[in-house]
Amino acid sequence: MDTINELAAEERTARIILGIASEPGDAVTGRMIRTVGASETVARLPADEAPPGPDGDTWQRRLAPRLDAAQTQRVLAETERHGMRVLIPGDAEWPAGIDALGDGAPVALWAKGDTGLLNRPVWDRLTVTGARASTAYGEHATTELVQSAVADSRVVLSGGAYGIDGAAHRAALTSDGSTVAVLAGGLDRPYPAGHTDLLTRVGKEGLLLSELPPGAAPTRWRFLQRGRLLAALSGTVLIAEAGYRSGTLHTAARAAELGRPVGAVPGPITSATSTGCHRLLRDGLAAVVTGYDDVRELLHGVRDRAHRAVRERAGFESDPLDAGPPAQGRDLRGPVL
């Protein structure tokens, strides 16, 4: 364990160790880091005494066996070999909006490509996602909306999957726009395999991003947790096409929890791949999107709320043009710079 503790003496490496040992969205690890720091969190894992708190013993028993100095060295070597960077809070490229996830935020992010895309305000970033078994209609609508978003200087995020995700990345690239693929596994093993060429191009012309270290395989849990990153990283989540139980609805739900607006593209009432979008609209979780003007309005709303929140915290009076009923129960910290 001395080797692990020596490695963990540096904050970035300590977070890498915790990123290897923990799973995405681990709020107990996040709370420990917030309370005592990453290096001390690593030191407390193999300690004889469990950390205080109701989850301390379970957390320790779950993560301590995963501490492996040799594995950490392998991850560090693979990170360098594949030309990746490891981003942590405090870095200039640590993305605005991600801290809205609180203790469930990533302990670190592996990035390959243009990390400067993460410096853009959250309202300049748009997540476009949807059905894997998409239709020609869904892909056409996605392409049209993404091309307009690129012309409006927005960064387009998606998950690199088949269907709507792939259509969003391709439309951004062919329009000479900026796109970010957030993956549910290590960046050294692009998934799905059929999108290896597409994701390689995204890594060269845009950005690949993951909270999983090199070598990590995607799992169902990691796919679900990837959705929370897409929600937190963008000002608006757009669901272009989705089935009634599509995993992308989880992304929409997380966006709503974070106070990010969700847009849904309506489709034929007879189309099974549009039932998820119609479900969001029926339940009041999404605004109807019939063109890019609707998307721009949602993004502008995020920007305006963020600016208003900054003025309020600074003690300035609200501009008369901003007057209106206060947002009930909504935490405005999410979209802030």
Side-chain angles (χ1 to χ4, degrees):
M1 281 305 164
D2 288 341
T3 306
I4 278 287
N5 288 332
E6 289 170 6
L7 289 169
E10 197 268 329
E11 171 81 6
R12 194 176 308 273
T13 310
R15 284 179 173 268
I16 290 172
I17 292 169
L18 293 169
I20 296 169
S22 64
E23 282 294 320
D26 185 343
V28 180
T29 297
R31 185 169 67 247
M32 289 289 294
I33 293 173
R34 173 172 54 83
T35 304
V36 301
S39 297
E40 180 62 21
T41 297
V42 174
R44 292 190 181 190
L45 272 172
D48 293 334
E49 184 177 344
D55 303 312
D57 181 63
T58 302
W59 172 80
Q60 189 182 53
R61 285 189 286 106
R62 178 167 49 88
L63 265 64
R66 302 182 185 182
L67 294 181
D68 186 332
Q71 173 67 358
T72 301
Q73 295 285 14
R74 284 194 294 271
V75 167
L76 290 171
E78 287 299 290
T79 297
E80 182 176 1
R81 186 170 76 86
H82 289 281
M84 304 174 195
R85 289 189 57 194
V86 178
L87 305 178
I88 64 172
D91 288 343
E93 298 89 348
W94 187 254
I98 202 74
D99 294 330
L101 293 169
D103 290 338
V107 299
L109 290 169
W110 275 261
K112 184 173 184 179
D114 184 6
T115 55
L117 296 177
L118 301 176
N119 289 331
R120 301 279 294 275
V122 70
W123 54 83
D124 276 349
R125 300 198 296 260
L126 170 69
T127 284
V128 181
T129 188
R132 286 171 173 77
S134 55
T135 67
Y137 162 79
E139 294 185 15
H140 173 75
T142 298
T143 299
E144 292 282 318
L145 290 166
V146 168
Q147 288 175 341
S148 296
V150 167
D152 198 27
S153 301
R154 311 290 180 174
V155 178
V156 176
L157 293 86
S158 198
Y162 294 129
I164 297 300
D165 287 21
H169 290 307
R170 282 190 291 269
L173 291 170
T174 55
S175 302
D176 295 323
S178 300
T179 188
V180 179
V182 182
L183 304 187
L187 300 184
D188 60 326
R189 46 190 304 173
Y191 185 90
H195 273 179
T196 297
D197 290 344
L198 173 62
L199 293 173
T200 298
R201 186 180 173 193
V202 171
K204 291 179 179 178
E205 300 180 30
L207 178 68
L208 296 177
L209 197 68
S210 178
E211 62 184 311
L212 278 304
T219 64
R220 177 174 174 77
W221 172 257
R222 292 169 179 177
F223 278 120
L224 289 174
Q225 292 302 303
R226 188 263 306 276
R228 89 193 195 289
L229 291 188
L230 286 170
L233 286 166
S234 56
T236 292
V237 169
L238 174 62
I239 309 297
E241 197 171 40
Y244 194 78
R245 298 188 181 278
S246 171
T248 57
L249 301 187
H250 176 79
T251 302
R254 294 309 303 270
E257 290 173 4
L258 294 171
R260 308 291 203 268
V262 178
V265 177
I269 60 173
T270 55
S271 173
T273 50
S274 287
T275 53
C277 292
H278 297 160
R279 179 183 178 186
L280 291 171
L281 295 170
R282 182 200 64 196
D283 293 345
L285 295 176
V288 64
V289 169
T290 59
Y292 184 69
D293 286 346
D294 297 326
V295 177
R296 184 189 290 113
E297 184 176 349
L298 294 175
L299 291 168
H300 284 180
V302 173
R303 179 200 61 192
D304 295 344
R305 287 198 304 274
H307 288 170
R308 186 159 56 246
V310 169
R311 291 199 302 271
E312 290 173 354
R313 283 201 296 271
F316 298 127
E317 293 185 6
S318 296
D319 189 290
L321 293 177
D322 293 332
Q328 297 297 320
R330 173 170 291 179
D331 184 354
L332 294 177
R333 290 175 296 177
V336 175
L337 287 175

